[in-house]
Amino acid sequence: MSPSPALPRDALFEDGDAAATLPVCDQYCGVEARMRKALALQMTLGPVFDITLDCEDGAPIGAEAEHATLCAELALSSDNRFGRVGARVHPVDHPAFEADVETLVGRAGDRLAFLMVPKPRHLADVQRALAFIEHVSRVHGRGASLPVHALIETHGALRDVQAIAELPRIQSLSFGLMDFVSAHRGAIPQVAMSAAGQFEHPLVVRAKLEIAAACHAAGKVPSHCVVTEFKDAAAIQAAATRAAREFGYTRMWSIHPAQIQPIIEAFAPSTAEIDEAIEIVLAAQAAQWAPIRHRDTLHDRASFRYFWQVIERARRTGQPLPAEAVRSLFGPGAE
């Protein structure tokens, strides 16, 4: 009896070679009513988007401790059905940072999908934040493998972006457009914060590309910034499409529920792309991953990896895949 063909994730990647994968949309919310609405929507749509409970911009001044407790309770609740709820803490030099981490990790460290650390000024800030998160995890015995995301929005963090991306606990880096533009003290015009202008100004484009390149080199997830024109469906669709197709981002922030579906659709491969990828990867699997010919084009392990990533992205965005192909490519019981 011949052995079952190896699954793509086992045959095409060495240990530690495959990049981290996350849902393509990350919904930020900090007001209690909006956090609960986001959780309800996630239960309806499934884990095709993450939720980040915001302890930074969402916490009323003077009520930071109560807000962090609320976020921990929501992460622990049955509404966190898929385990895809994270939280953004205050910056590492803010008086509330340590209390945020104590509350979130100490209470809900094993139910959080990640912590987001905003506004690091350089590599040392990220290292300091990671050290404290790891300390709290050891003390409380929770969150030992809790991933950390960082928000690149200062000159120093952009300068150190490659070193930040290489830190083992870092899973994803996001671009903070508004603070980055503001840090230039008026030298970058306001239009560079718009849905279209942020893809045109050279300094903003440079920052986006450096973050994406650093993430891909380190096997981490680059997460694109917000689009503030949340009622303009065409603007969010266009921005998400450019982020995915031109700038190499595999994830994007949402700040309004109306943005979630356009982001997912923009990051999803087309039906034609999915069909071609399934054909090629199934043929490669049947050939025990030796080079193949498909429609007069030769393919080998390098292109197999590309097409496998198309299939993975289709699955992360909730695209329908043939049950037989899912069984063959992801293993029995994966349908």
Side-chain angles (χ1 to χ4, degrees):
M1 185 176 187
S2 59
S4 299
L7 299 178
R9 63 172 177 261
D10 300 322
L12 299 178
F13 299 94
E14 302 296 334
D15 287 343
D17 186 39
T21 57
L22 291 171
V24 299
C25 182
D26 187 7
Q27 167 72 11
Y28 269 70
C29 42
V31 176
E32 181 177 359
R34 293 175 185 170
M35 292 192 286
R36 293 189 183 278
K37 285 182 180 179
L39 287 164
L41 183 60
Q42 191 185 58
M43 285 192 283
T44 299
L45 297 180
V48 293
F49 70 95
D50 278 348
I51 297 171
T52 297
L53 307 176
D54 193 359
C55 291
E56 184 191 15
D57 292 341
I61 295 175
E64 291 86 356
E66 293 83 356
H67 192 77
T69 298
L70 170 64
C71 291
E73 289 173 352
L74 290 174
L76 286 167
S77 74
S78 59
D79 290 345
N80 182 11
R81 181 179 298 176
F82 306 105
R84 294 310 313 170
V85 173
R88 174 162 69 167
V89 298
H90 283 83
V92 70
D93 57 353
H94 190 281
F97 168 77
E98 292 190 358
D100 283 350
V101 174
E102 285 277 2
T103 299
L104 290 163
V105 177
R107 290 178 178 235
D110 293 333
R111 287 288 288 153
L112 288 168
F114 53 86
L115 283 186
M116 163 59 80
V117 176
K119 296 181 178 62
R121 296 161 299 175
H122 36 57
L123 172 64
D125 272 356
V126 182
Q127 292 172 319
R128 176 183 161 196
L130 294 179
F132 188 73
I133 291 167
E134 289 167 359
H135 165 73
V136 172
S137 177
R138 288 192 299 270
V139 169
H140 292 277
R142 296 188 181 93
S145 58
L146 180 64
V148 175
H149 300 182
L151 189 51
I152 306 301
E153 51 192 333
T154 67
H155 298 297
L158 183 62
R159 181 194 62 232
D160 294 344
V161 68
Q162 293 188 26
I164 293 171
E166 290 168 0
L167 294 170
R169 193 179 281 262
I170 291 293
Q171 183 183 54
S172 174
L173 297 180
S174 297
F175 177 49
L177 172 66
M178 307 304 175
D179 281 282
F180 181 77
V181 170
S182 296
H184 285 77
R185 301 178 179 87
I188 298 178
Q190 180 183 353
V191 70
M193 294 189 284
S194 68
Q198 63 176 278
F199 292 97
E200 305 299 336
H201 194 282
L203 286 173
V204 177
V205 168
R206 164 184 166 262
K208 290 188 182 190
L209 294 176
E210 289 196 12
I211 293 167
C215 284
H216 288 299
K220 309 300 172 67
V221 176
S223 187
H224 194 266
C225 59
V226 300
V227 170
T228 56
E229 297 95 323
F230 63 86
K231 289 188 177 180
D232 188 339
I236 183 65
Q237 185 83 35
T241 299
R242 294 196 71 179
R245 300 285 177 168
E246 298 177 31
F247 284 73
Y249 281 80
T250 57
R251 179 171 166 98
M252 185 168 174
W253 286 28
S254 164
I255 55 172
H256 189 277
Q259 295 183 328
I260 293 173
Q261 199 60 46
I263 290 172
I264 293 172
E265 291 173 2
F267 278 80
S270 68
T271 300
E273 289 174 316
I274 296 169
D275 290 345
E276 181 184 33
I278 289 173
E279 288 178 10
I280 289 172
V281 177
L282 285 176
Q285 187 181 49
Q288 299 294 331
W289 309 106
I292 65 167
R293 175 179 174 176
H294 180 265
R295 298 182 186 174
D296 296 326
T297 300
L298 293 176
H299 294 280
D300 60 13
R301 292 173 68 87
S303 55
F304 298 160
R305 282 192 288 269
Y306 168 80
F307 289 109
W308 169 242
Q309 288 157 352
V310 171
I311 295 170
E312 285 192 311
R313 184 156 43 93
R315 195 164 168 84
R316 290 200 307 277
T317 52
Q319 305 306 301
L321 301 175
E324 185 177 347
V326 171
R327 284 193 296 272
S328 296
L329 299 177
F330 291 91
E335 299 96 326

